[in-house]
Amino acid sequence: MKKIALSMLLVLFVFTAAFANGQEEAAAAVSETSIEDVVAGYFANMPDHIYKISQVEFVEKVKAGTDMTILDIRQPDAYAEGHVQGAVNVPWGTALTENLQYVPQSGEVYIYCYSGQTAGQAVMLLNAAGVPARSVNLGFNFGISKVEGVDAVLETAANSFDTSVTYDVDPAVFSAYKSYYEEMVSLKDTTWKNFKVSEDNAKKILDAGDDSALFLSIRQEKDYNEGHIEGAINIPFGNDMFNMFASLPADKKIIVYCYSGQTAGQATAALQLLGYDAVSMNGGMGVGANKPIGWTNKGYPVVK
């Protein structure tokens, strides 16, 4: 089972890495490092802004010259066409592992992608690695680029990290972080690319009555009751949601959805670290009738 395999990998990594430094250090590393505790702490210590910043507030910070680190995790071609001033391009995937040591573990760190969904995954993983990151609401396409006056803070010149300064990451956390992106990249050409599933493929799974998949709504209970995907269970996104993860089946594909896909990205990353086979649904339930993504924007049905 994937969860057991991850645990064995973490223990093996720590003992192997610490062998040359003595068994005492190895034992301490194993006892002090728990991926379950890291994930639980992520949700338990989640601030009111849920690790996100509004696109408007973000642009205002850039205009004000706020001292901060900005990660643009879109692909290089999109970055080259125009990005936020000062943003460093770290394309979604293993580049995030390769550059993790250069990302500050203090101060203000912001990350954005295209729509906010993969940034949601990345922001959970960055925080697990000790980086106080927040994602920008709705990403570049639906958030940043729509802010009035944003052109004043866009540029095409490339930026880079100060590689003379590096930051340490707990070995067990780094191992899990690295495995996450390596597995994600291996799914590049499948239905589950980027640990996501399209609304259309999710609908096909629902229509086929595929009992190997489980839909998980992480919207608030009130919104779930007003309308959800048929058969979906509800674990509202919040500080105590980790305590309910144990109720999820370990032998099913878990399709997570929220409002726009961003908090589902965070939950998906957390579940993957815990060993669950989780993906987030593109666009979530759908926020904004004018957006081309999301379950309801596709005209798909809900039940009460």
Side-chain angles (χ1 to χ4, degrees):
M1 189 169 68
K2 181 179 176 183
K3 189 171 184 178
I4 294 175
L6 176 61
S7 297
M8 291 178 66
L9 173 64
L10 294 178
V11 173
L12 177 62
F13 178 89
V14 174
F15 271 109
T16 302
F19 182 78
N21 297 323
Q23 295 181 344
E24 183 176 341
E25 290 185 11
V30 171
S31 64
E32 292 174 4
T33 302
S34 164
I35 295 302
E36 286 78 9
D37 287 345
V38 169
V39 175
Y42 176 83
F43 291 104
N45 299 314
M46 184 166 59
D48 292 339
H49 56 60
I50 60 172
Y51 303 109
K52 283 202 307 181
I53 184 174
S54 78
Q55 60 271 41
V56 174
E57 183 182 354
F58 172 70
V59 169
E60 288 303 313
K61 280 181 171 289
V62 179
K63 287 182 178 179
T66 304
D67 183 16
M68 55 186 174
T69 299
I70 306 173
L71 307 182
D72 181 326
I73 63 170
R74 298 176 300 159
Q75 292 306 300
D77 58 342
Y79 176 81
E81 289 177 2
H83 52 267
V84 175
Q85 289 175 359
V88 178
N89 188 213
V90 188
W92 170 245
T94 54
L96 282 159
T97 304
E98 295 159 2
N99 289 279
L100 182 59
Q101 63 181 318
Y102 305 124
V103 183
Q105 296 181 3
S106 62
E108 297 187 46
V109 180
Y110 299 102
I111 181 170
Y112 66 84
C113 59
Y114 297 94
S115 65
Q117 200 154 352
T118 51
Q121 292 183 45
V123 81
M124 188 277 148
L125 295 165
L126 285 169
N127 275 274
V131 177
R134 295 167 66 183
S135 63
V136 181
N137 188 50
L138 297 176
F140 191 90
N141 291 0
F142 301 121
I144 295 170
S145 67
K146 306 299 183 183
V147 176
E148 184 176 355
V150 69
D151 288 346
V153 299
L154 298 181
E155 64 178 0
T156 56
N159 303 293
S160 58
F161 289 114
D162 177 2
T163 57
S164 67
V165 181
T166 59
Y167 302 86
D168 294 330
V169 178
D170 183 281
V173 174
F174 181 80
S175 179
Y177 190 101
K178 183 173 182 288
S179 295
Y180 182 96
Y181 285 111
E182 288 177 344
E183 181 174 352
M184 186 272 293
V185 169
S186 74
L187 301 174
K188 183 175 181 180
D189 298 320
T190 73
T191 300
W192 318 110
K193 179 180 177 181
N194 294 334
F195 289 135
K196 290 172 55 181
V197 62
S198 70
E199 308 92 308
D200 295 341
N201 282 329
K203 180 65 161 52
K204 290 177 182 177
I205 291 169
L206 179 68
D207 290 344
D210 186 349
D211 62 4
S212 69
L214 172 71
F215 284 85
L216 170 62
S217 168
I218 62 169
R219 301 163 79 218
Q220 295 306 302
E221 184 178 7
K222 172 180 176 294
D223 299 313
Y224 171 83
N225 289 337
E226 289 179 354
H228 56 268
I229 295 174
E230 185 175 4
I233 65 172
N234 187 217
I235 298 180
F237 190 82
N239 295 97
D240 61 349
M241 71 183 305
F242 173 82
N243 297 322
M244 301 181 68
F245 285 162
S247 66
L248 296 172
D251 60 347
K252 293 182 182 291
K253 174 78 73 175
I254 300 174
I255 300 175
V256 187
Y257 72 90
C258 58
Y259 299 90
S260 63
Q262 297 172 94
T263 52
Q266 294 180 46
T268 292
L271 288 169
Q272 281 281 343
L273 286 184
L274 293 172
Y276 291 96
D277 186 8
V279 296
S280 65
M281 187 178 72
N282 188 56
M285 186 59 78
V287 174
N290 296 322
K291 290 186 175 62
I293 60 175
W295 185 267
T296 56
N297 291 335
K298 292 278 188 176
Y300 294 149
V302 298
V303 298
K304 295 185 177 182

